[in-house]
Amino acid sequence: MYEYVKNLSQSIEKLITINKEPLERTIELFAQSIVEDNMIQVLGTGHSHMIGLEGFIRAGGLGNINAILDSTVLTSDGALRGSELEKLPGLADILWNDQKINKDDLIMVASNSGRNALPIEFAMRAKQEGHTVIAITSVEQSSINPSRHASGLKLMDVADIILDNCVPTGDGLCEVNGRITGAFSSIAGMTLMNTICVEAQKRALDLGGQPLVFSSQNVDGFDNEAIYQHFGDRLKCR
């Protein structure tokens, strides 16, 4: 077996085992959001933005997940530029105010290091507004490195629920020629996201709710227009 595949399999098993309790709490909150017709707002920066994309308007994805995507902090406008802007105090409020976030929406913030201003301040703003905040972060990496925020806090210090992505320092599962390689954080975050979404649908059905789930736009016979109309401008799709 390839080294990365072997290590990946072991790491995913560890990921689910370690997060059993926070996963259950998160599944319950996602299910409540489905039943009560509230949005789940997901912010990620750098490569962590892919965790939001994993749940956002995709085949098999929940209709009530909205990814907060802004070119200022994505790699599309330059990886180094986005990395620097993620450290900029005050940017979180600008992004927050640009969203249609309702008072009962659930907030998820993904940041592997959890040490930069944007994810920390976005979580802080969410807490100030009365939202429950779920963090996906590396507890190991966050514990080792100091905060870059004036408060000295990290994302895991602010969040109500911490999902540990179990990513080792350096974000790699293998070592080749003395260098860490074989990234895990994206797959870890996406595994958590899909696990939560699948189980939350089951829980919502048990509670009498009806999950709205997107079908593939490339398979004939399915139409997602009713989902777009249901959520309207709460879903950033146009």
Side-chain angles (χ1 to χ4, degrees):
M1 180 182 292
Y2 294 111
E3 180 186 2
Y4 180 76
V5 175
K6 177 183 177 182
N7 293 347
L8 178 63
S9 177
Q10 294 172 348
S11 296
I12 288 177
E13 184 175 351
K14 175 184 176 182
L15 175 75
I16 300 303
T17 301
I18 284 181
N19 286 293
K20 183 176 181 180
E21 190 273 336
L23 263 174
E24 283 299 313
R25 293 173 62 195
T26 303
I27 290 166
E28 187 64 33
L29 289 171
F30 269 55
Q32 289 176 7
S33 295
I34 294 169
V35 172
E36 297 170 6
D37 195 31
N38 295 319
M39 299 300 293
I40 300 161
Q41 308 282 352
V42 185
L43 171 76
T45 55
H47 284 86
S48 292
H49 85 270
M50 291 191 289
I51 298 169
L53 278 177
E54 185 65 13
F56 178 59
I57 311 183
R58 64 153 303 140
L62 287 174
N64 62 321
I65 290 180
N66 185 61
I68 299 171
L69 304 172
D70 194 283
S71 62
T72 54
V73 289
L74 301 184
T75 55
S76 55
D77 280 358
L80 295 178
R81 177 179 180 273
S83 179
E84 288 302 312
L85 285 168
E86 182 184 356
K87 303 169 188 173
L88 184 66
L91 181 57
D93 281 331
I94 295 174
L95 296 189
W96 181 281
N97 293 333
D98 192 46
Q99 308 299 314
K100 293 185 179 296
I101 300 176
N102 294 332
K103 63 181 182 65
D104 294 318
D105 288 353
L106 186 62
I107 307 296
M108 175 179 275
V109 181
S111 171
N112 194 46
S113 71
R115 66 190 301 217
N116 292 316
L118 177 57
I120 294 168
E121 290 187 356
F122 198 90
M124 286 178 166
R125 174 67 183 270
K127 293 292 292 291
Q128 290 170 3
E129 300 285 346
H131 298 269
T132 298
V133 177
I134 301 162
I136 296 180
T137 190
S138 168
V139 171
E140 177 182 321
Q141 185 166 324
S142 192
S143 298
I144 292 172
N145 297 305
S147 173
R148 289 181 173 140
H149 190 254
S151 68
L153 298 174
K154 301 168 189 176
L155 175 59
M156 66 180 185
D157 299 320
V158 181
D160 297 290
I161 298 174
I162 302 166
L163 291 168
D164 183 2
N165 64 14
C166 299
V167 172
T169 299
D171 195 4
L173 299 181
C174 305
E175 184 176 327
V176 178
N177 196 31
R179 302 301 295 267
I180 299 297
T181 188
F184 180 49
S185 60
S186 300
I187 293 177
M190 292 176 186
T191 299
L192 290 170
M193 174 65 81
N194 282 302
T195 299
I196 294 161
C197 288
V198 169
E199 298 304 319
Q201 291 176 57
K202 299 175 186 177
R203 196 75 52 86
L205 288 168
D206 290 340
L207 295 171
Q210 183 59 53
L212 297 179
V213 179
F214 284 105
S215 299
S216 173
Q217 313 245 23
N218 297 309
V219 177
D220 294 340
F222 293 98
D223 185 4
N224 293 318
E225 188 58 34
I227 300 178
Y228 292 122
Q229 290 182 3
H230 176 84
F231 292 107
D233 63 2
R234 292 189 290 162
L235 195 62
K236 195 169 184 179
C237 58
R238 291 184 172 91

Short mmCIF file of all heavy atoms in Angstrom, two decimals, residues 113-158:
data_model
loop_
_atom_site.label_atom_id
_atom_site.label_comp_id
_atom_site.label_asym_id
_atom_site.label_seq_id
_atom_site.Cartn_x
_atom_site.Cartn_y
_atom_site.Cartn_z
N SER A 113 -4.21 26.52 11.90
CA SER A 113 -3.38 27.04 12.99
C SER A 113 -4.22 27.76 14.05
O SER A 113 -3.85 27.77 15.23
CB SER A 113 -2.33 28.01 12.45
OG SER A 113 -2.94 29.23 12.02
N GLY A 114 -5.32 28.38 13.63
CA GLY A 114 -6.18 29.10 14.57
C GLY A 114 -5.51 30.27 15.24
O GLY A 114 -5.97 30.74 16.29
N ARG A 115 -4.46 30.84 14.63
CA ARG A 115 -3.67 31.87 15.31
C ARG A 115 -3.77 33.26 14.67
O ARG A 115 -3.27 34.23 15.22
CB ARG A 115 -2.21 31.43 15.35
CG ARG A 115 -1.54 31.35 14.00
CD ARG A 115 -0.17 30.68 14.04
NE ARG A 115 0.77 31.36 14.92
CZ ARG A 115 2.08 31.49 14.65
NH1 ARG A 115 2.59 30.99 13.51
NH2 ARG A 115 2.87 32.10 15.49
N ASN A 116 -4.41 33.33 13.50
CA ASN A 116 -4.44 34.61 12.78
C ASN A 116 -5.71 35.41 13.07
O ASN A 116 -6.73 34.87 13.51
CB ASN A 116 -4.31 34.36 11.27
CG ASN A 116 -2.92 33.84 10.91
OD1 ASN A 116 -1.92 34.35 11.41
ND2 ASN A 116 -2.86 32.82 10.07
N ALA A 117 -5.64 36.70 12.79
CA ALA A 117 -6.68 37.64 13.21
C ALA A 117 -8.05 37.33 12.63
O ALA A 117 -9.06 37.38 13.34
CB ALA A 117 -6.27 39.07 12.85
N LEU A 118 -8.11 37.03 11.34
CA LEU A 118 -9.42 36.89 10.69
C LEU A 118 -10.28 35.79 11.31
O LEU A 118 -11.42 36.07 11.73
CB LEU A 118 -9.26 36.67 9.19
CG LEU A 118 -10.55 36.43 8.42
CD1 LEU A 118 -11.54 37.58 8.62
CD2 LEU A 118 -10.27 36.23 6.93
N PRO A 119 -9.83 34.55 11.40
CA PRO A 119 -10.70 33.53 12.00
C PRO A 119 -11.01 33.80 13.47
O PRO A 119 -12.13 33.55 13.92
CB PRO A 119 -9.91 32.23 11.82
CG PRO A 119 -8.51 32.65 11.55
CD PRO A 119 -8.58 33.96 10.88
N ILE A 120 -10.04 34.34 14.20
CA ILE A 120 -10.27 34.65 15.62
C ILE A 120 -11.32 35.74 15.76
O ILE A 120 -12.28 35.61 16.53
CB ILE A 120 -8.95 35.06 16.29
CG1 ILE A 120 -7.96 33.89 16.32
CG2 ILE A 120 -9.21 35.58 17.72
CD1 ILE A 120 -6.55 34.29 16.72
N GLU A 121 -11.16 36.84 15.02
CA GLU A 121 -12.08 37.97 15.15
C GLU A 121 -13.46 37.63 14.58
O GLU A 121 -14.47 38.13 15.08
CB GLU A 121 -11.50 39.20 14.47
CG GLU A 121 -10.29 39.77 15.21
CD GLU A 121 -9.81 41.08 14.63
OE1 GLU A 121 -10.35 41.53 13.59
OE2 GLU A 121 -8.88 41.67 15.22
N PHE A 122 -13.51 36.79 13.56
CA PHE A 122 -14.82 36.39 13.04
C PHE A 122 -15.57 35.57 14.08
O PHE A 122 -16.77 35.77 14.29
CB PHE A 122 -14.65 35.58 11.75
CG PHE A 122 -15.89 35.50 10.91
CD1 PHE A 122 -16.16 36.45 9.94
CD2 PHE A 122 -16.80 34.48 11.10
CE1 PHE A 122 -17.31 36.39 9.17
CE2 PHE A 122 -17.96 34.40 10.34
CZ PHE A 122 -18.21 35.36 9.37
N ALA A 123 -14.86 34.68 14.76
CA ALA A 123 -15.48 33.90 15.83
C ALA A 123 -15.90 34.80 16.99
O ALA A 123 -16.98 34.62 17.57
CB ALA A 123 -14.51 32.82 16.32
N MET A 124 -15.07 35.78 17.31
CA MET A 124 -15.41 36.74 18.38
C MET A 124 -16.67 37.52 18.03
O MET A 124 -17.56 37.69 18.87
CB MET A 124 -14.25 37.72 18.59
CG MET A 124 -13.04 37.15 19.30
SD MET A 124 -11.74 38.41 19.44
CE MET A 124 -10.65 37.65 20.63
N ARG A 125 -16.75 37.98 16.79
CA ARG A 125 -17.92 38.75 16.35
C ARG A 125 -19.17 37.88 16.42
O ARG A 125 -20.24 38.33 16.87
CB ARG A 125 -17.70 39.27 14.93
CG ARG A 125 -18.91 39.97 14.30
CD ARG A 125 -19.26 41.29 14.99
NE ARG A 125 -20.44 41.88 14.41
CZ ARG A 125 -20.43 42.74 13.38
NH1 ARG A 125 -19.27 43.11 12.82
NH2 ARG A 125 -21.56 43.24 12.92
N ALA A 126 -19.04 36.64 16.01
CA ALA A 126 -20.17 35.72 16.06
C ALA A 126 -20.65 35.53 17.50
O ALA A 126 -21.86 35.53 17.77
CB ALA A 126 -19.79 34.38 15.45
N LYS A 127 -19.72 35.37 18.42
CA LYS A 127 -20.09 35.19 19.82
C LYS A 127 -20.77 36.45 20.36
O LYS A 127 -21.76 36.38 21.10
CB LYS A 127 -18.85 34.86 20.66
CG LYS A 127 -18.23 33.51 20.37
CD LYS A 127 -19.13 32.35 20.81
CE LYS A 127 -19.26 32.28 22.32
NZ LYS A 127 -18.00 31.87 22.99
N GLN A 128 -20.26 37.61 19.98
CA GLN A 128 -20.85 38.89 20.41
C GLN A 128 -22.29 39.03 19.92
O GLN A 128 -23.14 39.60 20.59
CB GLN A 128 -20.01 40.06 19.91
CG GLN A 128 -18.66 40.20 20.58
CD GLN A 128 -17.77 41.22 19.89
OE1 GLN A 128 -18.17 41.88 18.91
NE2 GLN A 128 -16.53 41.33 20.34
N GLU A 129 -22.54 38.46 18.73
CA GLU A 129 -23.88 38.55 18.14
C GLU A 129 -24.80 37.44 18.64
O GLU A 129 -25.94 37.34 18.21
CB GLU A 129 -23.77 38.48 16.61
CG GLU A 129 -22.94 39.60 15.98
CD GLU A 129 -23.67 40.93 15.95
OE1 GLU A 129 -24.90 40.94 16.18
OE2 GLU A 129 -23.02 41.96 15.70
N GLY A 130 -24.29 36.59 19.51
CA GLY A 130 -25.12 35.55 20.12
C GLY A 130 -25.16 34.22 19.40
O GLY A 130 -26.02 33.39 19.68
N HIS A 131 -24.24 33.99 18.47
CA HIS A 131 -24.21 32.75 17.70
C HIS A 131 -23.37 31.69 18.40
O HIS A 131 -22.42 31.99 19.12
CB HIS A 131 -23.62 32.99 16.31
CG HIS A 131 -24.40 33.95 15.48
ND1 HIS A 131 -25.41 33.55 14.64
CD2 HIS A 131 -24.32 35.30 15.36
CE1 HIS A 131 -25.92 34.62 14.03
NE2 HIS A 131 -25.28 35.69 14.46
N THR A 132 -23.72 30.44 18.15
CA THR A 132 -22.87 29.32 18.54
C THR A 132 -21.78 29.17 17.49
O THR A 132 -22.05 29.20 16.29
CB THR A 132 -23.68 28.02 18.65
OG1 THR A 132 -24.68 28.18 19.66
CG2 THR A 132 -22.78 26.84 19.01
N VAL A 133 -20.53 28.98 17.96
CA VAL A 133 -19.39 28.89 17.04
C VAL A 133 -18.74 27.52 17.15
O VAL A 133 -18.38 27.07 18.24
CB VAL A 133 -18.35 29.98 17.35
CG1 VAL A 133 -17.13 29.82 16.45
CG2 VAL A 133 -18.95 31.37 17.18
N ILE A 134 -18.59 26.87 16.00
CA ILE A 134 -17.90 25.59 15.89
C ILE A 134 -16.58 25.85 15.17
O ILE A 134 -16.55 26.48 14.12
CB ILE A 134 -18.73 24.58 15.10
CG1 ILE A 134 -20.09 24.36 15.76
CG2 ILE A 134 -17.98 23.25 14.96
CD1 ILE A 134 -21.10 23.72 14.84
N ALA A 135 -15.49 25.36 15.74
CA ALA A 135 -14.18 25.53 15.12
C ALA A 135 -13.66 24.19 14.62
O ALA A 135 -13.79 23.17 15.29
CB ALA A 135 -13.19 26.12 16.10
N ILE A 136 -13.06 24.21 13.43
CA ILE A 136 -12.26 23.08 12.95
C ILE A 136 -10.81 23.57 12.93
O ILE A 136 -10.48 24.49 12.19
CB ILE A 136 -12.69 22.61 11.55
CG1 ILE A 136 -14.13 22.08 11.57
CG2 ILE A 136 -11.74 21.54 11.04
CD1 ILE A 136 -14.63 21.60 10.22
N THR A 137 -9.99 22.98 13.76
CA THR A 137 -8.63 23.46 13.92
C THR A 137 -7.72 22.34 14.38
O THR A 137 -8.19 21.29 14.83
CB THR A 137 -8.59 24.64 14.93
OG1 THR A 137 -7.32 25.28 14.91
CG2 THR A 137 -8.90 24.17 16.34
N SER A 138 -6.42 22.54 14.27
CA SER A 138 -5.45 21.57 14.78
C SER A 138 -5.09 21.96 16.21
O SER A 138 -4.41 22.96 16.43
CB SER A 138 -4.19 21.54 13.91
OG SER A 138 -3.17 20.81 14.56
N VAL A 139 -5.54 21.17 17.16
CA VAL A 139 -5.23 21.46 18.56
C VAL A 139 -3.73 21.37 18.80
O VAL A 139 -3.15 22.19 19.53
CB VAL A 139 -6.01 20.50 19.49
CG1 VAL A 139 -5.54 20.65 20.93
CG2 VAL A 139 -7.51 20.77 19.38
N GLU A 140 -3.08 20.40 18.18
CA GLU A 140 -1.63 20.26 18.36
C GLU A 140 -0.88 21.48 17.86
O GLU A 140 -0.06 22.07 18.56
CB GLU A 140 -1.12 19.02 17.62
CG GLU A 140 0.39 18.85 17.68
CD GLU A 140 0.91 17.65 16.90
OE1 GLU A 140 0.23 16.60 16.92
OE2 GLU A 140 1.97 17.77 16.26
N GLN A 141 -1.18 21.88 16.62
CA GLN A 141 -0.46 23.02 16.04
C GLN A 141 -0.81 24.32 16.75
O GLN A 141 0.06 25.15 17.01
CB GLN A 141 -0.78 23.14 14.55
CG GLN A 141 0.02 24.23 13.85
CD GLN A 141 -0.06 24.11 12.34
OE1 GLN A 141 -0.10 23.02 11.80
NE2 GLN A 141 -0.10 25.24 11.67
N SER A 142 -2.08 24.49 17.11
CA SER A 142 -2.51 25.70 17.78
C SER A 142 -1.90 25.81 19.17
O SER A 142 -1.62 26.91 19.65
CB SER A 142 -4.04 25.74 17.87
OG SER A 142 -4.49 27.01 18.26
N SER A 143 -1.69 24.69 19.82
CA SER A 143 -1.12 24.69 21.16
C SER A 143 0.36 25.06 21.16
O SER A 143 0.86 25.65 22.12
CB SER A 143 -1.30 23.32 21.82
OG SER A 143 -2.67 22.99 21.95
N ILE A 144 1.05 24.71 20.09
CA ILE A 144 2.49 24.95 20.01
C ILE A 144 2.81 26.39 19.66
O ILE A 144 3.73 27.00 20.24
CB ILE A 144 3.13 24.00 18.98
CG1 ILE A 144 3.06 22.55 19.48
CG2 ILE A 144 4.57 24.38 18.70
CD1 ILE A 144 3.48 21.53 18.46
N ASN A 145 2.06 26.97 18.74
CA ASN A 145 2.40 28.29 18.20
C ASN A 145 1.63 29.41 18.89
O ASN A 145 0.44 29.26 19.18
CB ASN A 145 2.10 28.33 16.70
CG ASN A 145 2.94 27.34 15.93
OD1 ASN A 145 4.17 27.36 16.03
ND2 ASN A 145 2.31 26.45 15.17
N PRO A 146 2.27 30.56 19.15
CA PRO A 146 1.60 31.68 19.82
C PRO A 146 0.58 32.36 18.91
O PRO A 146 0.69 32.31 17.68
CB PRO A 146 2.75 32.63 20.15
CG PRO A 146 3.79 32.34 19.11
CD PRO A 146 3.69 30.86 18.85
N SER A 147 -0.41 32.98 19.52
CA SER A 147 -1.40 33.72 18.76
C SER A 147 -0.76 34.93 18.08
O SER A 147 0.18 35.53 18.61
CB SER A 147 -2.51 34.20 19.71
OG SER A 147 -3.40 35.06 19.03
N ARG A 148 -1.29 35.29 16.92
CA ARG A 148 -0.87 36.51 16.24
C ARG A 148 -1.86 37.64 16.46
O ARG A 148 -1.77 38.69 15.84
CB ARG A 148 -0.71 36.25 14.74
CG ARG A 148 0.49 35.37 14.38
CD ARG A 148 0.57 35.17 12.89
NE ARG A 148 1.79 34.47 12.51
CZ ARG A 148 1.86 33.54 11.56
NH1 ARG A 148 0.76 33.19 10.90
NH2 ARG A 148 3.00 32.97 11.26
N HIS A 149 -2.83 37.41 17.35
CA HIS A 149 -3.86 38.41 17.63
C HIS A 149 -3.53 39.14 18.91
O HIS A 149 -2.95 38.56 19.84
CB HIS A 149 -5.23 37.73 17.74
CG HIS A 149 -6.37 38.70 17.79
ND1 HIS A 149 -7.07 38.98 18.93
CD2 HIS A 149 -6.92 39.47 16.81
CE1 HIS A 149 -8.01 39.86 18.66
NE2 HIS A 149 -7.94 40.18 17.38
N ALA A 150 -3.91 40.41 18.97
CA ALA A 150 -3.58 41.25 20.12
C ALA A 150 -4.13 40.71 21.43
O ALA A 150 -3.56 40.93 22.51
CB ALA A 150 -4.09 42.68 19.89
N SER A 151 -5.22 39.99 21.36
CA SER A 151 -5.84 39.43 22.57
C SER A 151 -5.05 38.27 23.16
O SER A 151 -5.23 37.91 24.33
CB SER A 151 -7.26 38.94 22.25
OG SER A 151 -7.21 37.80 21.39
N GLY A 152 -4.18 37.68 22.35
CA GLY A 152 -3.45 36.50 22.78
C GLY A 152 -4.26 35.22 22.65
O GLY A 152 -3.77 34.13 22.95
N LEU A 153 -5.51 35.35 22.19
CA LEU A 153 -6.39 34.20 22.04
C LEU A 153 -6.17 33.51 20.69
O LEU A 153 -5.65 34.11 19.75
CB LEU A 153 -7.85 34.62 22.17
CG LEU A 153 -8.27 35.22 23.51
CD1 LEU A 153 -9.71 35.73 23.43
CD2 LEU A 153 -8.12 34.21 24.64
N LYS A 154 -6.60 32.26 20.63
CA LYS A 154 -6.62 31.51 19.39
C LYS A 154 -8.05 31.09 19.11
O LYS A 154 -8.92 31.20 19.99
CB LYS A 154 -5.70 30.29 19.50
CG LYS A 154 -4.26 30.67 19.81
CD LYS A 154 -3.44 29.46 20.21
CE LYS A 154 -2.08 29.86 20.73
NZ LYS A 154 -1.30 28.71 21.23
N LEU A 155 -8.29 30.60 17.93
CA LEU A 155 -9.65 30.21 17.55
C LEU A 155 -10.24 29.22 18.55
O LEU A 155 -11.40 29.32 18.93
CB LEU A 155 -9.65 29.61 16.14
CG LEU A 155 -10.98 29.04 15.62
CD1 LEU A 155 -12.06 30.12 15.60
CD2 LEU A 155 -10.78 28.42 14.25
N MET A 156 -9.44 28.25 18.99
CA MET A 156 -9.97 27.24 19.89
C MET A 156 -10.31 27.81 21.27
O MET A 156 -11.03 27.18 22.04
CB MET A 156 -8.99 26.06 20.02
CG MET A 156 -7.68 26.36 20.67
SD MET A 156 -6.67 24.82 20.73
CE MET A 156 -5.27 25.42 21.70
N ASP A 157 -9.77 29.00 21.60
CA ASP A 157 -10.12 29.65 22.86
C ASP A 157 -11.47 30.36 22.79
O ASP A 157 -12.08 30.63 23.82
CB ASP A 157 -9.04 30.68 23.24
CG ASP A 157 -7.68 30.06 23.44
OD1 ASP A 157 -7.62 28.96 24.01
OD2 ASP A 157 -6.68 30.67 23.01
N VAL A 158 -11.91 30.67 21.58
CA VAL A 158 -13.13 31.45 21.38
C VAL A 158 -14.34 30.56 21.10
O VAL A 158 -15.45 30.84 21.55
CB VAL A 158 -12.94 32.45 20.22
CG1 VAL A 158 -14.20 33.30 20.03
CG2 VAL A 158 -11.73 33.36 20.48
#
